[in-house]
Amino acid sequence: MLLAERKQWNANHQRLTTLLQNPKGHEQAVALFLNQHAWLYVSKMADAGPMGTMNTLEDELLDGTREETLRQYPVKAPDTKNSILWHLWHIARIEDMTMNVLIGGREQIFEEGDWLPKLRISCTHTGNGMTEEEAAELSAGIDMDALLDYRIEVGRRTREIVRRMEPAEMKRKVPTAGIEKLRAQSAVKPEAEWLLEYWSKKTLAGLILMPATRHNFLHLNKAIRIKQRLQKQS
């Protein structure tokens, strides 16, 4: 994904923000969301690759990246110490929780598919508030192939949910029952309780904009910068 394409993605995100506020622009908003979202996953996640044969952000991240690069923790980057795999896991968990529980009113894919043993990790939360020891353990031990498969399932379910949404749903507030369900599931650590409060103040359109699109975009770009830094050093 070239610089010009990143700039276009940002411009389209601003346009998506406007469209989601107007029920008459619902069909356009859904179509634009699906395009924006497809850029944030490997090409095979979406029904058809975005923009023809162009590489997505996740394609760019994974292409030619060594496993030790993906797992390295801590990393020396201006805005994070976390590994690339941590970032991929973090955005997948947050998208799964917000899109399925808070918007879709259904179980997380993580729960439905019994992903905890597949991923070979011990935590179920978002990763916010993790200790250094916990982040190191996850980075070293998570099953990489299972993580990438989990992300694809999360992405495909998100697209299914947004396709089925009605225009009037976009302005609805996040349901309290969904927030309480995530709290009961220990979806966030006690140190990160602020995250549930943050989501509780959003509309459903707000969750589509952040985290389903913008949050992924920011973390993938961060992960690409980590990759470039680490592989340049070696």
Side-chain angles (χ1 to χ4, degrees), residues 14-193:
Q14 293 179 355
R15 181 166 168 255
L16 179 62
T17 303
T18 301
L19 286 171
L20 286 171
Q21 296 171 353
N22 180 8
K24 294 181 179 179
H26 181 73
E27 289 187 10
Q28 287 178 280
V30 170
L32 182 55
F33 166 80
L34 293 174
N35 183 70
Q36 291 286 90
H37 185 256
W39 277 109
L40 307 173
Y41 280 83
V42 290
S43 299
K44 70 178 181 179
M45 183 281 297
D47 298 331
M51 307 298 285
T53 59
M54 298 298 289
N55 282 342
T56 68
L57 266 182
E58 191 172 9
D59 288 336
E60 180 181 341
L61 172 62
L62 297 176
D63 184 33
T65 309
R66 297 183 293 271
E67 182 172 345
E68 58 265 32
T69 299
L70 295 169
R71 292 190 182 279
Q72 182 162 329
Y73 177 86
V75 298
K76 292 182 179 179
D79 51 1
T80 184
K81 294 193 297 184
N82 289 319
S83 68
I84 293 172
L85 289 186
W86 182 95
H87 286 282
L88 291 175
W89 170 77
H90 170 70
I91 57 179
R93 291 299 294 122
I94 283 188
E95 185 174 335
D96 190 0
M97 294 175 190
T98 54
M99 297 304 296
N100 287 290
V101 178
L102 301 184
I103 293 182
R106 57 193 300 175
E107 288 295 335
Q108 299 176 46
I109 286 174
F110 190 84
E111 300 290 341
E112 288 180 347
D114 197 23
W115 280 96
L116 190 62
K118 296 175 188 176
L119 291 165
R120 299 180 185 173
I121 55 177
S122 59
C123 58
T124 62
H125 52 74
T126 64
N128 297 89
M130 254 188 175
T131 65
E132 292 189 8
E133 291 77 12
E134 289 170 331
E137 180 182 350
L138 183 140
S139 300
I142 195 167
D143 186 295
M144 187 169 65
D145 291 335
L147 173 60
L148 298 179
D149 289 342
Y150 170 59
R151 256 184 63 75
I152 287 173
E153 288 203 24
V154 169
R156 287 176 175 166
R157 174 72 66 76
T158 290
R159 298 168 76 76
E160 174 190 325
I161 288 170
V162 173
R163 283 191 183 102
R164 292 180 178 181
M165 291 180 73
E166 298 293 333
E169 292 182 88
M170 296 297 178
K171 292 185 178 181
R172 289 181 188 169
K173 297 290 289 183
V174 167
T176 301
I179 295 293
E180 292 307 317
K181 182 173 183 176
L182 290 177
R183 182 176 282 116
Q185 291 177 333
S186 299
V188 302
K189 297 187 73 176
E191 297 88 341
E193 180 73 15

Side-chain angles (χ1 to χ4, degrees), residues 209-223:
L209 292 167
M210 184 78 170
T213 46
R214 188 71 182 172
H215 184 249
N216 286 336
F217 183 77
L218 293 172
H219 277 275
L220 287 169
N221 277 296
K222 190 176 292 189

